[in-house]
């Protein structure tokens, strides 16, 4: 497919476990973003990758959250020692380089922490 | 810091009628872009329309248009001839030089038959 692909679509895990969420951006898009959407809320910025530049991690809520982007393409968001407040939909977006390039979103991963 | 505010958590409209969703924002930057995104139950965020802050002319995309009042920092979305498929959560968003999007809280729009 040509769109942003995220996996898994849904993830249920126990409190304290680690989880990995995957994002496969649109081919050729150098910018990649992670956002978090808590129930009934707007989207909260987490992290932004642009080409080979150092990522903007200023939105990560705690040191339990980390993300990497290998080979300038696929990205993985990792949450360690999950807490119930981590339950949310995690959305990934990608875009071409440059200001005002529209961001294209995936369908998100719904994470539920028991 | 950038903020985006949507003061209408829910709205409803009859099919074929017109509805306006409100959005206000705040930023100290002079160059920015404004967007409206639609999120149906499928969760995917779909870009509806965008406006460049330095352009005075209001953007239009088919049945969707905006009323951009730069001095008032207001960016409302008008949907004409509402259709059942327009039922969704609508988010107003702003992009400044940092490239991240700052989103409002969203407005749940329901189009009734």
């Amino acid at each position: 497919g040509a769109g942003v692909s995220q996996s898994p679509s849904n993830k249920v895990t126990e409190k304290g476990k680690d989880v990995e969420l995957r994002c496969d951006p649109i081919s050729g898009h150098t910018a990649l973003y992670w956002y978090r959407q808590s129930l009934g809320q707007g989207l909260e910025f987490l992290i932004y990758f642009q080409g080979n530049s150092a990522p903007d991690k200023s939105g990560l809520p705690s040191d339990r959250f980390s993300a990497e982007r290998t080979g300038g393409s696929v990205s993985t968001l990792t949450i360690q020692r999950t807490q119930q407040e981590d339950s949310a939909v995690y959305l990934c977006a990608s875009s071409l380089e440059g200001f005002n390039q529209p961001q294209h979103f995936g369908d998100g991963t719904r994470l539920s922490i028991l | 810091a950038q903020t985006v505010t949507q003061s209408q958590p829910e709205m409803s409209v009859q099919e074929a009628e017109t509805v306006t969703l409100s959005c206000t924002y705040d930023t100290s930057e002079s160059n920015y872009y404004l967007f409206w995104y639609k999120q149906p139950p499928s969760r995917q965020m779909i870009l509806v329309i965008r406006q460049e802050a330095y352009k005075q002319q209001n953007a239009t995309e088919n049945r969707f248009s905006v009323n951009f009042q730069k001095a008032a920092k207001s960016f409302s979305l008008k949907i004409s001839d509402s259709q059942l498929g327009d039922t969704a959560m609508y988010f107003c968003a702003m992009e400044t030089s940092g490239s991240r999007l700052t989103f409002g809280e969203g407005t749940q729009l329901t189009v009734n038959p």
Side-chain angles (χ1 to χ4, degrees):
Chain A
V4 176
S5 177
Q6 289 189 247
S7 61
S9 179
N10 293 281
K11 176 73 175 178
V12 180
T13 192
E14 294 180 346
K15 176 182 172 182
K17 301 287 189 183
D18 297 351
V19 295
E20 285 189 354
L21 312 179
R22 176 188 169 102
C23 174
D24 200 343
I26 292 172
S27 178
H29 281 190
T30 57
L32 187 147
Y33 310 79
W34 283 99
Y35 295 88
R36 177 170 71 174
Q37 185 177 24
S38 301
L39 183 64
Q41 301 294 314
L43 277 69
E44 171 192 14
F45 167 79
L46 296 177
I47 188 168
Y48 160 51
F49 296 90
Q50 174 55 61
N52 295 321
S53 302
D56 176 357
K57 303 180 181 180
S58 59
L60 295 178
S62 78
D63 59 7
R64 297 187 295 106
F65 288 72
S66 63
E68 62 177 22
R69 188 178 185 191
T70 54
S73 181
V74 172
S75 176
T76 302
L77 177 68
T78 301
I79 308 173
Q80 296 178 310
R81 305 180 301 282
T82 52
Q83 303 294 314
Q84 288 189 331
E85 61 262 30
D86 299 335
S87 295
V89 174
Y90 290 81
L91 287 158
C92 175
S94 71
S95 74
L96 294 170
E97 181 178 355
F99 195 15
N100 189 37
Q101 292 296 330
Q103 295 182 23
H104 300 264
F105 285 81
D107 289 344
T109 294
R110 181 178 298 281
L111 177 64
S112 300
I113 309 299
L114 302 179
Chain B
Q2 280 69 239
T3 61
V4 177
T5 303
Q6 294 176 250
S7 58
Q8 304 156 315
E10 297 179 354
M11 292 195 72
S12 63
V13 63
Q14 292 299 120
E15 195 174 7
E17 293 187 347
T18 296
V19 64
T20 298
L21 308 183
S22 301
C23 172
T24 58
Y25 62 92
D26 193 20
T27 180
S28 58
E29 305 222 10
S30 58
N31 193 18
Y32 54 90
Y33 295 84
L34 297 165
F35 304 85
W36 278 96
Y37 279 88
K38 167 185 176 181
Q39 187 180 42
S42 65
R43 293 201 309 247
Q44 188 176 29
M45 298 288 283
I46 302 166
L47 179 64
V48 174
I49 197 167
R50 57 178 166 169
Q51 174 80 40
E52 299 164 57
Y54 62 86
K55 287 189 175 179
Q56 293 187 338
Q57 185 174 5
N58 289 325
T60 299
E61 283 288 338
N62 300 313
R63 298 182 296 108
F64 299 88
S65 62
V66 299
N67 183 7
F68 175 44
Q69 300 291 326
K70 191 170 183 178
K73 295 185 177 176
S74 170
F75 182 62
S76 61
L77 174 69
K78 185 172 81 171
I79 306 174
S80 303
D81 186 25
S82 297
Q83 300 176 0
L84 297 178
D86 294 335
T87 292
M89 182 73 86
Y90 286 80
F91 290 97
C92 179
M94 173 171 58
E95 179 182 351
T96 57
S97 58
S99 291
R100 68 178 70 178
L101 288 170
T102 300
F103 286 86
E105 306 89 338
T107 296
Q108 176 63 49
L109 176 67
T110 301
V111 180
N112 299 309

